Amino acid sequence: MFARAIRAPLKLARYYSSRGTIFGLSSGSGKCGVAVIRVSGDASSDVVHRKTSSNKLPAARQAVLRRIVHSRTAEMIDRGLVLWFPGPHSFTGEDCVEFHVHGGAAVVSAMYDSLGSIDGVRLAEPGEFTKRAFYAGKMDLTEVEGLADLIEAETEAQRKQALLQASGELSKLYNEMRSRLVRCIANVEAYIDFAEDQDVDDTVLQSVGEDVATLVRDISTHLNDHRRGERLRAGVRTAIIGAPNVGKSSFVNLLSNRKVSIVTNVAGTTRDIIESHHDIGGYPVILADTAGLRASTDDIVEIEGISRAKDYFQLADLLILMIDSEDLQRYLQNGDTFDCFLSHYLTSLGINREALSTAKSMLIVNKCDLLPESFLEPIKKIPNITLLSCHTQAGLEAVLQEITTNLKHLCGNPSKESPNLSQQRHRYHLKQCVDCLEKYQRYVEGQRNPDLAIATQHLRNATRCIGKITGAIETEEILDVIFSTFCIGK
């Protein structure tokens, strides 16, 4: 935090030397009860005076009801709330004001026209309010990304993960790693400067080596998360596979509560990948209805559909293998085991059991309403099988519970003690950091009299890698990419 406080004024002065005062709609677009229009910058106090026809600013952070007028014509636009946030105690660190007006399109349009007519005041660029908050040291890049994810969150699990990151839990983890690296650098440099005077113990380098080894283990453990955070952020890719007419499309329609996929008695109706987005147990799921699989067919279009289905499920996070209950009944009545049936079924689909090991998988036996209860009882005893009838919806609750159990395993449970790594950008820089630390280890251990200045440089490079994650060392290109994902009023 101390380093951030030192950097902030320099960054702010460098970036906003001539950026002016900005405004934007911070509430949702479209007709609504209340629209919040935010203004930030040096001219914010003048905006308040001109928009309220008053020379007195409202008390800080207290809502007051005012007549809000057009700055050019003085014609009344609306009666609404005005909130004054003097810098640096505001979201952006600058003077800010918010106008809470009625959310009709005409009111918002008049507010935009009025604000845009004031000299030095302009419409904000996407993400510019948050960008100013970053430059003012109000948040680092991980918190910025968490805020963006929080705005985009569609499920409860996504909200919790994004809130942890926006609240700075991931930032704390990375800043703690960076602080440990800085201490290592300081100790090595102290050894270089003072070892000859015997003011520094010879065990310092050994201690640094142990600290570096611990850091490598800690970062590697953080990286070895099976991409749970990234999966939770983007959605769990789930492929439904099985023979033609086992009920894959009916299952998608059942979960969607609408006709997403075409359902007919004709085998091979689904030819392409049909994706739909779902919230199951609070987790985001991208459900893919795929073409029915079979070992051979002469239909050129169906061959292409099967090829696409196989390509998709090889990249999926979760596989749902659907089985026709009547096919299973016929096989088991011949005295064969379920394991033999499964091998035979997969062969008929043109895939092998190893294909199921590419992702977590679950088995659903569909059309259970067509079988007598006496036959269903022994099937229920087979491990890892869930019975379902898409026609009657029998077993749907059990299916959703089983899917949720798999989703919990795939997405993890982020907490303050163990926040998820949620961005590919973070993963890349952490890997680079580990690479620099391992170079330090190899250099120090591989040389009889290592040049400690060179060794220290490897540690400095590792520190820079962590700094690129939080924004302690920023580049405009990275910042532009991150902030461009925000809406205008954020």
Side-chain angles (χ1 to χ4, degrees):
M1 292 297 294
F2 179 70
R4 185 193 296 184
I6 292 176
R7 289 195 314 273
L10 296 177
K11 292 194 297 182
L12 195 63
R14 185 176 71 243
Y15 188 78
Y16 288 108
S17 57
S18 60
R19 299 295 292 173
T21 298
I22 57 174
F23 69 89
L25 181 66
S26 291
S27 55
S29 59
K31 188 181 297 184
C32 55
V34 176
V36 179
I37 298 173
R38 175 185 286 166
V39 181
S40 178
D42 292 340
S44 294
S45 58
D46 183 52
V47 169
V48 175
H49 298 320
R50 298 184 64 173
K51 295 292 291 176
T52 62
S53 300
S54 171
N55 293 325
K56 185 178 180 181
L57 290 172
R61 292 172 293 282
Q62 292 185 22
V64 294
L65 183 63
R66 290 284 188 271
R67 291 176 71 256
I68 299 174
V69 301
H70 198 290
S71 56
R72 186 176 62 251
T73 65
E75 181 182 359
M76 180 175 169
I77 296 175
D78 195 7
R79 286 179 64 86
L81 297 179
V82 180
L83 287 92
W84 169 246
F85 301 94
H89 304 296
S90 67
F91 176 74
T92 62
E94 307 171 305
D95 286 348
C96 289
V97 60
E98 288 183 0
F99 297 97
H100 294 215
V101 295
H102 291 97
V107 175
V108 174
S109 178
M111 289 291 294
Y112 267 46
D113 180 63
S114 173
L115 290 168
S117 68
I118 301 175
D119 290 340
V121 180
R122 61 174 176 80
L123 182 64
E125 299 170 1
E128 191 169 359
F129 287 101
T130 307
K131 195 171 189 178
R132 293 191 177 204
F134 165 75
Y135 274 106
K138 293 290 183 176
M139 56 178 66
D140 69 11
L141 286 186
T142 64
E143 293 167 321
V144 167
E145 290 165 326
L147 179 59
D149 289 346
L150 188 60
I151 294 170
E152 295 294 328
E154 296 181 344
T155 72
E156 181 64 8
Q158 286 179 318
R159 181 192 68 80
K160 288 181 178 179
Q161 174 173 277
L163 185 60
L164 282 172
Q165 187 168 330
S167 300
E169 298 306 325
L170 203 58
S171 173
K172 290 177 185 176
L173 176 64
Y174 295 148
N175 283 332
E176 190 269 339
M177 291 177 178
R178 190 170 183 273
S179 295
R180 290 159 66 183
L181 277 169
V182 170
R183 286 196 297 270
C184 288
I185 294 172
N187 287 335
V188 174
E189 291 186 339
Y191 183 86
I192 294 173
D193 293 338
F194 305 112
E196 293 182 1
D197 300 329
Q198 298 183 348
D199 291 331
V200 178
D201 197 292
D202 288 340
T203 61
V204 166
L205 291 183
Q206 180 182 346
S207 177
V208 169
E210 292 171 355
D211 290 341
V212 169
T214 301
L215 264 170
V216 169
R217 286 195 300 271
D218 290 347
I219 298 175
S220 298
T221 299
H222 184 58
L223 285 168
N224 189 26
D225 64 342
H226 304 288
R227 298 184 182 273
R228 291 189 181 96
E230 294 166 70
R231 189 181 291 123
L232 176 55
R233 179 174 178 267
V236 180
R237 291 166 61 92
T238 303
I240 309 172
I241 61 173
N245 278 8
V246 295
K248 300 184 299 299
S249 297
S250 296
F251 181 58
V252 171
N253 291 345
L254 178 60
L255 292 184
S256 304
N257 200 28
R258 62 188 178 92
K259 294 181 179 180
V260 174
S261 299
I262 298 174
V263 176
T264 72
N265 293 325
V266 179
T269 302
T270 302
R271 301 297 182 92
D272 211 339
I273 306 296
I274 301 175
E275 290 186 336
S276 54
H277 294 254
H278 302 263
D279 178 349
I280 299 179
Y283 294 91
V285 178
I286 304 171
L287 203 60
D289 184 13
T290 64
L293 302 178
R294 44 183 159 189
S296 62
T297 177
D298 295 329
D299 189 318
I300 296 176
V301 179
E302 188 176 4
I303 290 172
E304 177 61 24
I306 291 173
S307 175
R308 293 187 182 191
K310 290 182 177 180
D311 290 341
Y312 190 96
F313 80 68
Q314 287 173 358
L315 299 175
D317 303 306
L318 176 64
L319 294 179
I320 297 178
L321 178 63
M322 295 203 75
I323 299 169
D324 190 314
S325 62
E326 292 182 304
D327 291 342
L328 177 59
Q329 180 188 28
R330 285 191 294 269
Y331 207 87
L332 296 183
Q333 283 177 339
N334 292 329
D336 291 308
T337 64
F338 176 77
D339 196 61
C340 290
F341 165 78
L342 185 59
S343 296
H344 171 78
Y345 183 60
L346 293 174
T347 300
S348 71
L349 301 182
I351 59 179
N352 52 47
R353 280 202 163 183
E354 286 69 29
L356 296 182
S357 65
T358 60
K360 196 161 184 62
S361 59
M362 59 179 290
L363 305 179
I364 296 178
V365 176
N366 189 32
K367 305 181 184 179
C368 64
D369 57 303
L370 301 179
L371 300 183
E373 186 64 30
S374 58
F375 184 77
L376 293 177
E377 284 303 320
I379 296 181
K380 292 178 182 178
K381 297 178 182 178
I382 300 174
N384 304 319
I385 283 186
T386 309
L387 297 176
L388 173 68
S389 169
C390 289
H391 179 64
T392 67
Q393 299 188 21
L396 178 60
E397 185 175 343
V399 167
L400 292 176
Q401 183 58 51
E402 182 64 21
I403 293 176
T404 301
T405 299
N406 283 292
L407 294 175
K408 287 180 180 178
H409 175 81
L410 290 166
C411 296
N413 184 28
S415 63
K416 288 185 176 181
E417 295 73 26
S418 181
N420 274 349
L421 196 168
S422 61
Q423 298 270 354
Q424 178 61 37
R425 185 181 73 84
H426 304 171
R427 188 175 299 278
Y428 172 79
H429 291 305
L430 287 172
K431 287 181 177 179
Q432 293 292 105
C433 178
V434 170
D435 183 58
C436 292
L437 294 177
E438 290 177 340
K439 285 180 179 177
Y440 170 86
Q441 290 175 314
R442 289 193 298 269
Y443 180 77
V444 172
E445 295 169 3
Q447 302 286 332
R448 176 173 296 180
N449 294 304
D451 186 333
L452 294 182
I454 296 176
T456 305
Q457 189 59 41
H458 291 310
L459 296 181
R460 291 185 187 280
N461 291 338
T463 306
R464 290 193 181 95
C465 291
I466 298 291
K468 289 178 181 178
I469 298 176
T470 62
I473 301 173
E474 77 282 348
T475 66
E476 287 303 317
E477 183 178 3
I478 292 174
L479 297 179
D480 288 343
V481 170
I482 292 174
F483 290 109
S484 66
T485 63
F486 281 81
C487 57
I488 294 294
K490 214 43 181 159

